[in-house]
Amino acid sequence: MFHSRFLRFSATVIGSLALAFSVSAQTSTISGNWVWQGAKLHDGTYDKFYFQFEQKGQAITGRVIYPWGILAITEGSIEGNHFRFVQAPVGEYKFVGEGDVVGDELHFRVTYFDNKYHDRIVRRCPPDEGNPPARIELPALHDVPWNGLAKTPPMGWNSWNKFGGNVSDEVVRGIADAMVSSGMRDAGYIYVNIDDTWEGRRDSTGALQPNHKFPDMKALADYVHSRGLKLGIYSSPGPKTCGGYEGSYGHEEQDARTFAAWGVDLLKYDWCSAGKLYDMSEVRGVYQKMGDLLLSSGRPILYSLCEYGAEKVWEWGPKVGGNMWRTVGDINDTWEVMAKNGFSQSELAAFAAPGHWNDPDMLEVGNGGMTDEEYRTHMSLWSILAAPLLAGNDLRTMSQSTRDILVNREVIAIDQDPAGKQGTRLSKSGERETWTKPLAGGAVAVGLFNRGAAPAMMALRLPELKLSGKVQARDLWAHKDVKFKNGVFEATVPGHGVVLLRIEPSGAGRQVRLL
Ligand code: GLA
C-alpha cells in the first residue's frame, strides 16, 4: 500500500522537479542541523526530531535523530530548492521526505510509522543540538541468576494499548479497583502496569521524578498493593523512551533503587533510544546491566524485556534475568497484526519455561477493533502459547462479553498450567490450524483455529494427539463436555474463530484447575 502511494507521489514530483529545475538552476544548501518541534509532552519538554543533512553537489547524506533512535539517510538529492531523501528502513517502514528549502527553513512532507505523509517545517539549529550523550561501556557478559518470579506466565494489565499518553494516577487507581470488582484479580490478573509517558525530569540529585499525571508514585503503589495487586512501571536503557520521555541511560542504578523504594514490582524495559549508543549486537549486555541492578535492588521486581525480538532474545533472555521478553513488534487492535504476532510463535516453544516466557505483546481484548469471535481467538492463542496475559483495555467500562473473555477461568488455566510448556502448531491446512499445548498430568489443550473469514469444518483425530482409548474432552468457551465419535471430533469453526478443547485420557480424572 505504502509502495503504490509512494510511486504515485514520485510521479507527480518528477513533474514538479522538472519545473523547479527550469526555473532555478541555483542549488540551495541544505547542509546543517535542522530541528522539528512537535507536541508538548507531559514532562513539559517537546517531541523533537533533528535532520542532520550533508550536501555534496546535488547529493544529500546524513541522519535523522528521533527521540527513539537514529536513522541514516541512505539516499537523497536536491535540485534548485527542491529536495528528497530516504531514510534507512525500520522493519517494514521506510521513511521518505520531499520538499523545499525556504530561506532558513525547510518545508517538506515525510512519512512516518503510519506510512502517511506529515507536513514538517524545520528550522536551523546549532550543529550538536540533539546529538546523543557519550557512550558508557558495558560490563562483561555473565549469567544473572533467576529472581524466582513468574513461575507461570505473568498476568495483569498494561496502560499502553488503550490509554497511550493518557495514563494517569486516577486511571491506574480506577483500573486497580475494576481489577478487583470485575473478578479479574481473583482469576489471576495481578500486575497493574504503567507504560510510557509517566516520566518527569530528574531532580538535582539525578533522581527521576514522575510528571504531573502521577503526583505521588509511592502512594499509588501503596494503593495498588492495598487492593491485593502489584504495580509495574516502564523505562528504557536509552536516554529517551520511545515516547520521548526520560530514559534510564546513565542512571540505571539510581532508577532501580527509585523503583524499589516506590514499591514497584515489575519493570518493562524498552530498547527505544538505546540504539543511539549501542549496536543491536550489544543488546544482551544492555539488558544484563539492569537485570543485575533489579536483583540487588532489595525488592523482587519482575523483569520484562522489550526489544521486539531482536538478536534472538529468547536465547539469552533468561541469562540477563528476564522473566518475559517481547518476541515481535507492537501489537495493535486489528485481526491482521494480532494474528501475525500470535501465529508466528510456534518455533519459539522450546525457549519458554517457568520463570521465562515468550511475549507476543499485550492483549487487545475489548478495545473495539476486533469482534468477540476474534478476541476469543486472541485469548485462546495467547493461552496456548503460555504468553503473559496483560489486558490492554479499559477495565472500568468493559462490557460483560469482554469480561467473559478475559475471565474465562478454564482458558486461563490453560495459560497458567503448572507444567509451563508453550504450545505449538500441530498441523495446518490452508487457513485451518490445529495447535496443541501439553498440560500437567498428561492432559492436552487443543485449539482448532480458523484463520479464514468464512466458517470451516475442522476435525481432530485422537491419534494426531498420540492418544488412544477413551478421553474426556471439554469445550472451554462453550463450557461443556464434548464427545469424540470413533476417535474423531468435528466442529464448524466460525470465521476468525476457534474451538478450544481440553482433553484428558479417561481415568486420569478431570484436572481443570480453577484458580
Ligand atoms: C514501544 C513498545 C510498546 C510501548 C511503547 C511506548 O513501542 O513496544 O509496547 O511500550 O513503546 O512508547
Side-chain angles (χ1 to χ4, degrees):
M1 187 167 95
F2 161 69
H3 219 67
S4 62
R5 209 185 279 137
F6 176 61
L7 289 179
R8 245 182 294 128
F9 183 58
S10 306
T12 56
V13 160
I14 288 164
S16 42
L17 269 184
L19 188 68
F21 196 65
S22 62
V23 173
S24 158
Q26 182 72 46
T27 295
S28 309
T29 179
I30 196 174
S31 288
N33 195 10
W34 307 79
V35 62
W36 173 74
Q37 182 169 299
K40 189 172 186 184
L41 304 179
H42 292 287
D43 63 4
T45 68
Y46 289 85
D47 208 11
K48 285 183 179 169
F49 299 176
Y50 292 88
F51 296 83
Q52 302 186 333
F53 293 118
E54 197 178 321
Q55 183 185 334
K56 286 213 178 82
Q58 291 188 331
I60 299 174
T61 53
R63 58 185 193 168
V64 183
I65 304 189
Y66 295 98
W68 47 264
I70 300 175
L71 294 185
I73 293 169
T74 52
E75 56 174 284
S77 60
I78 180 163
E79 292 196 40
N81 290 328
H82 199 82
F83 64 89
R84 68 178 292 273
F85 61 98
V86 180
Q87 302 162 60
V90 183
E92 68 212 63
Y93 303 101
K94 193 176 178 190
F95 303 152
V96 293
E98 182 106 42
D100 297 295
V101 182
V102 182
D104 240 8
E105 291 178 344
L106 305 179
H107 295 198
F108 61 105
R109 340 197 259 163
V110 64
T111 55
Y112 201 43
F113 283 114
D114 55 5
N115 282 343
K116 292 190 179 125
Y117 279 99
H118 297 264
D119 289 326
R120 300 277 189 249
I121 294 181
V122 303
R123 55 174 177 75
R124 274 195 191 278
C125 64
D128 52 359
E129 193 183 313
N131 282 345
R135 179 188 150 104
I136 302 168
E137 288 312 316
L138 293 168
L141 292 184
H142 65 98
D143 288 0
V144 179
W146 179 38
N147 57 15
L149 301 174
K151 292 198 180 82
T152 58
M155 291 177 65
W157 175 89
N158 174 294
S159 59
W160 186 250
N161 284 354
K162 174 68 187 178
F163 292 91
N166 295 324
V167 63
S168 64
D169 178 281
E170 189 193 340
V171 166
V172 172
R173 285 171 192 253
I175 293 290
D177 293 345
M179 207 113 127
V180 178
S181 61
S182 65
M184 283 180 70
R185 178 193 66 187
D186 293 344
Y189 293 88
I190 294 296
Y191 288 92
V192 181
N193 299 338
I194 304 166
D195 207 281
D196 201 359
T197 78
W198 67 266
E199 307 88 342
R201 318 243 189 126
R202 295 189 181 278
D203 69 13
S204 56
T205 70
L208 185 53
Q209 308 294 315
N211 64 43
H212 66 93
K213 296 188 297 169
F214 291 90
D216 186 339
M217 218 36 122
K218 169 101 179 60
L220 179 58
D222 289 346
Y223 183 79
V224 168
H225 294 154
S226 76
R227 310 298 274 142
L229 299 164
K230 294 183 186 295
L231 184 72
I233 213 161
Y234 168 101
S235 191
S236 169
K240 294 278 182 196
T241 65
C242 292
Y245 290 81
E246 185 73 15
S248 291
Y249 182 70
H251 294 270
E252 293 85 351
E253 187 173 355
Q254 200 171 18
D255 287 358
R257 273 194 271 114
T258 299
F259 299 152
W262 284 341
V264 163
D265 307 291
L266 175 151
L267 174 67
K268 172 175 170 181
Y269 208 40
D270 194 352
W271 177 254
C272 304
S273 65
K276 290 181 178 176
L277 284 317
Y278 301 109
D279 190 73
M280 211 66 224
S281 61
E282 299 173 291
V283 61
R284 178 174 163 187
V286 171
Y287 278 88
Q288 174 192 294
K289 188 170 184 180
M290 184 52 90
D292 275 328
L293 292 166
L294 292 180
L295 208 57
S296 56
S297 71
R299 192 175 170 84
I301 298 182
L302 194 150
Y303 191 22
S304 165
L305 318 183
C306 179
E307 46 82 277
Y308 338 113
E311 300 292 314
K312 300 188 176 159
V313 59
W314 42 87
E315 289 181 354
W316 49 265
K319 297 180 180 165
V320 300
N323 298 108
M324 54 190 270
W325 46 81
R326 279 272 296 279
T327 54
V328 282
D330 290 16
I331 197 167
N332 66 34
D333 191 16
T334 62
W335 163 258
E336 289 72 25
V337 175
M338 182 281 289
K340 182 171 133 208
N341 278 15
F343 286 112
S344 63
Q345 301 295 294
S346 190
E347 282 73 34
L348 303 183
F351 301 99
H356 314 288
W357 308 100
N358 291 312
D359 173 17
D361 210 356
M362 304 163 297
L363 299 173
E364 290 282 5
V365 175
N367 278 335
M370 290 181 252
T371 63
D372 281 353
E373 202 64 61
E374 292 170 333
Y375 286 137
R376 277 190 284 274
T377 297
H378 186 9
M379 183 78 184
S380 305
L381 185 53
W382 263 237
S383 296
I384 291 238
L385 293 173
L389 296 179
L390 296 174
N393 58 318
D394 189 345
L395 308 182
R396 303 169 304 178
T397 55
M398 69 181 155
S399 66
Q400 186 61 35
S401 63
T402 295
R403 185 199 165 275
D404 289 346
I405 295 171
L406 289 170
V407 193
N408 183 330
R409 288 179 175 230
E410 292 190 271
V411 176
I412 292 171
I414 302 302
D415 182 76
Q416 296 289 300
D417 185 78
K421 294 220 162 38
Q422 175 177 327
T424 52
R425 183 188 288 104
L426 177 73
S427 63
K428 177 172 162 54
S429 163
E431 290 171 307
R432 292 168 295 181
E433 298 192 14
T434 300
W435 286 64
T436 57
K437 178 186 200 277
L439 304 173
V444 60
V446 181
L448 304 175
F449 293 98
N450 174 12
R451 295 178 66 174
M457 275 295 288
M458 290 188 72
L460 177 68
R461 292 170 187 81
L462 283 182
E464 292 177 74
L465 303 175
K466 302 197 171 53
L467 287 176
S468 56
K470 285 213 177 333
V471 295
Q472 288 185 323
R474 188 162 168 84
D475 180 329
L476 304 183
W477 288 111
H479 298 294
K480 61 170 206 241
D481 291 348
V482 295
K483 294 235 170 317
F484 277 74
K485 287 192 191 114
N486 299 324
V488 183
F489 170 80
E490 280 188 331
T492 304
V493 185
H496 293 180
V498 64
V499 170
L500 184 64
L501 302 176
R502 179 187 182 103
I503 302 175
E504 324 213 3
S506 255
R510 171 143 311 127
Q511 294 185 8
V512 177
R513 191 175 69 102
L514 294 182
L515 294 168

